[in-house]
Amino acid sequence: MTTPLYWQTAGEGSDLVLIHGWGMNGAVWQPVIEKLSAQYRVHSVDLSGYGHSADLGSADFDEMVTQVLAQAPEKAAWLGWSLGGLIATQAALTAPVRVSQLITVASSPRFAAEKGWRGIKPAVLSQFTEQLKEDFTLTVERFMALQAMGSPNAKQDIKQVKRAILSRPAPNPSALATGLTILADIDLRESLSQLTMPVCRMYGRLDGLVPIKVAQDMDSLLPHSTKVVFEHASHAPFISHSDEFIAELHRFLQPEDEFLI
């Protein structure tokens, strides 16, 4: 039996699942949830080893997907940010009847850079892994700073993310290490053609972790998907440009509303 993860549900309407990124927890969505809950029934999760699920410890990639699917609504739109985008994508591949629409935010099917593919340099991921052993709190803070780099509101963005993360228990160090391994190793590029539901990919043009060139490369891997680029955003457009983000999300989830008078 799968040990329950911590979930928070708010609002009424069609179901929307939100999955946070590495080092974070579900509280990072709170400002967005307050706005989305007027139109959607929003479900945010603390992944295994994070936030109120910290005591569950580390889980590998497939186990994380299984854990979230075990408690997610029977059918919902899934939105994953950064590492959460990998989990949401794998859930859509594993249980397509459960995922009505897939949205990835500042995410990539392959986070690590390699020849012909932009991403995080393996040396940077290795450095984070080594730093994690020495001071995991400082390492998470450095990662937060890296996420906001390039954003016109970088200091404010970091402060908001940090406040959200600190509102819940600290992440489990082993879960953080496993998360870095996932970012270094997982490659879903060859599986993307199997996705059968509508897909929306959102990017920040100034993102230092998922280079904007990835958005262009993904056009050929997912030619029928919707692409949204926030020109002045970095790795967390839902924080730095929340109103614009919510408008684009709603446009994708409820396209028929554009034709209502």
Side-chain angles (χ1 to χ4, degrees):
M1 183 177 175
T2 304
T3 306
L5 299 169
Y6 175 83
W7 287 79
Q8 183 179 12
T9 299
E12 296 293 333
S14 56
D15 289 302
L16 173 63
V17 171
L18 304 180
I19 306 177
H20 64 79
W22 183 86
M24 306 294 132
N25 60 52
V28 78
W29 300 110
Q30 205 53 51
V32 177
I33 289 173
E34 290 171 6
K35 297 174 182 178
L36 287 175
S37 57
Q39 294 170 300
Y40 307 97
R41 190 163 183 253
V42 187
H43 310 264
S44 59
V45 63
D46 283 358
L47 296 170
S48 186
Y50 297 90
H52 292 307
S53 300
D55 289 344
L56 299 184
S58 178
D60 65 24
F61 183 61
D62 289 336
E63 190 179 356
M64 289 173 89
V65 174
T66 299
Q67 288 174 337
V68 178
L69 277 169
Q71 292 175 259
E74 198 56 36
K75 189 153 192 172
W78 284 51
L79 187 156
W81 169 48
S82 196
L83 169 66
L86 280 176
I87 293 169
T89 300
Q90 186 60 34
L93 290 164
T94 304
V97 296
R98 302 275 307 277
V99 182
S100 57
Q101 291 148 297
L102 172 65
I103 307 100
T104 61
V105 181
S107 192
S108 172
R110 170 68 171 168
F111 273 87
E114 61 183 30
K115 189 175 181 181
W117 183 262
R118 273 108 172 147
I120 308 172
K121 292 180 180 178
V124 173
L125 286 169
S126 297
Q127 185 180 22
F128 270 114
T129 302
E130 288 305 310
Q131 290 172 349
L132 205 56
K133 297 172 186 174
E134 299 172 15
D135 188 337
F136 80 91
T137 302
L138 182 61
T139 304
V140 173
E141 288 184 358
R142 285 173 177 164
F143 195 74
M144 282 193 276
L146 193 58
Q147 292 183 55
M149 194 179 295
S151 167
N153 312 308
K155 286 186 179 179
Q156 184 180 328
D157 293 352
I158 294 170
K159 190 180 293 185
Q160 185 172 329
V161 171
K162 194 171 180 180
R163 186 165 57 241
I165 302 315
L166 294 178
S167 71
R168 296 185 182 178
N172 185 301
S174 64
L176 290 172
T178 301
L180 288 176
T181 300
I182 290 169
L183 291 175
D185 294 348
I186 294 297
D187 187 352
L188 299 181
R189 286 176 292 178
E190 290 188 6
S191 303
L192 295 177
S193 61
Q194 299 170 26
L195 292 170
T196 54
M197 68 291 297
V199 178
C200 179
R201 303 175 286 116
M202 296 187 177
Y203 305 92
R205 188 178 61 83
L206 307 176
D207 195 340
L209 295 173
V210 180
I212 195 59
K213 185 68 170 61
V214 170
Q216 299 165 25
D217 294 338
M218 286 289 289
D219 290 342
S220 58
L221 293 177
L222 274 173
H224 302 298
S225 61
T226 299
K227 178 174 69 175
V228 176
V229 177
F230 299 96
E231 287 296 317
H232 304 291
S234 183
H235 193 64
F238 63 95
I239 290 175
S240 62
H241 297 77
S242 60
D243 289 342
E244 190 181 341
F245 172 83
I246 289 170
E248 292 291 351
L249 178 61
H250 186 71
R251 187 174 292 120
F252 174 70
L253 293 176
Q254 308 287 349
E256 66 275 8
D257 284 8
E258 292 184 14
F259 301 100
L260 296 179
I261 298 174

